[in-house]
Amino acid sequence: MDFQEAVRSCFNNYANFNGRASRSEFWWWALFCLLASAVLGAFSHKLSAVFSLATFVPYIAVAARRLHDTDRSGWLQLVGLIPFVGWIILIYWLAQESKSSSRYA
């Protein structure tokens, strides 16, 4: 999946927490959110905040689908709330290869 397909897919599945998302879909979406927020932040911090709020739900949704692709529950995103090690664990899970079979297909 390329950059445009990933962004389009995430906006089309705005609040879809079911199914699976490929590794490339998630990481292209994360890059899009980071770059767009940085560019908008250079012009206006309020505009950047509005963009971040608008893309929060699809970010959580694509992360849940990505965790489903690695045969984990989307609720495991809450591990990221653990100070220091939570984000490391979550990034490790999100970067893992897809499982051929998943309970969440």
Side-chain angles (χ1 to χ4, degrees), residues 77-96:
Q77 292 180 72
L78 295 174
V79 168
L81 297 175
I82 299 171
F84 306 114
V85 292
W87 276 101
I88 295 169
I89 294 169
L90 190 57
I91 289 171
Y92 173 74
W93 286 340
L94 293 169
Q96 285 185 331

Side-chain angles (χ1 to χ4, degrees), residues 54-101:
T55 58
F56 181 72
V57 171
Y59 198 95
I60 298 298
V62 74
R65 293 193 315 268
R66 177 69 198 129
L67 286 171
H68 290 170
D69 197 40
T70 62
D71 203 28
R72 291 185 176 83
S73 171
W75 286 101
L76 287 175
Q77 292 180 72
L78 295 174
V79 168
L81 297 175
I82 299 171
F84 306 114
V85 292
W87 276 101
I88 295 169
I89 294 169
L90 190 57
I91 289 171
Y92 173 74
W93 286 340
L94 293 169
Q96 285 185 331
E97 290 186 24
S98 302
K99 303 275 184 177
S100 60
S101 63

Side-chain angles (χ1 to χ4, degrees):
M1 181 172 284
D2 66 358
F3 183 78
Q4 288 180 340
E5 288 176 14
V7 172
R8 192 175 310 118
S9 172
C10 289
F11 278 123
N12 287 338
N13 294 310
Y14 191 88
N16 180 11
F17 294 86
N18 298 319
R20 298 167 74 163
S22 66
R23 188 172 16 176
S24 61
E25 180 181 0
F26 174 78
W27 290 110
W28 281 125
W29 175 255
L31 180 66
F32 166 73
C33 289
L34 178 73
L35 292 177
S37 184
V39 168
L40 292 172
F43 295 109
S44 168
H45 293 294
K46 289 181 183 178
L47 192 57
S48 176
V50 168
F51 174 80
S52 295
L53 284 173
T55 58
F56 181 72
V57 171
Y59 198 95
I60 298 298
V62 74
R65 293 193 315 268
R66 177 69 198 129
L67 286 171
H68 290 170
D69 197 40
T70 62
D71 203 28
R72 291 185 176 83
S73 171
W75 286 101
L76 287 175
Q77 292 180 72
L78 295 174
V79 168
L81 297 175
I82 299 171
F84 306 114
V85 292
W87 276 101
I88 295 169
I89 294 169
L90 190 57
I91 289 171
Y92 173 74
W93 286 340
L94 293 169
Q96 285 185 331
E97 290 186 24
S98 302
K99 303 275 184 177
S100 60
S101 63
S102 172
R103 294 174 279 179
Y104 304 99

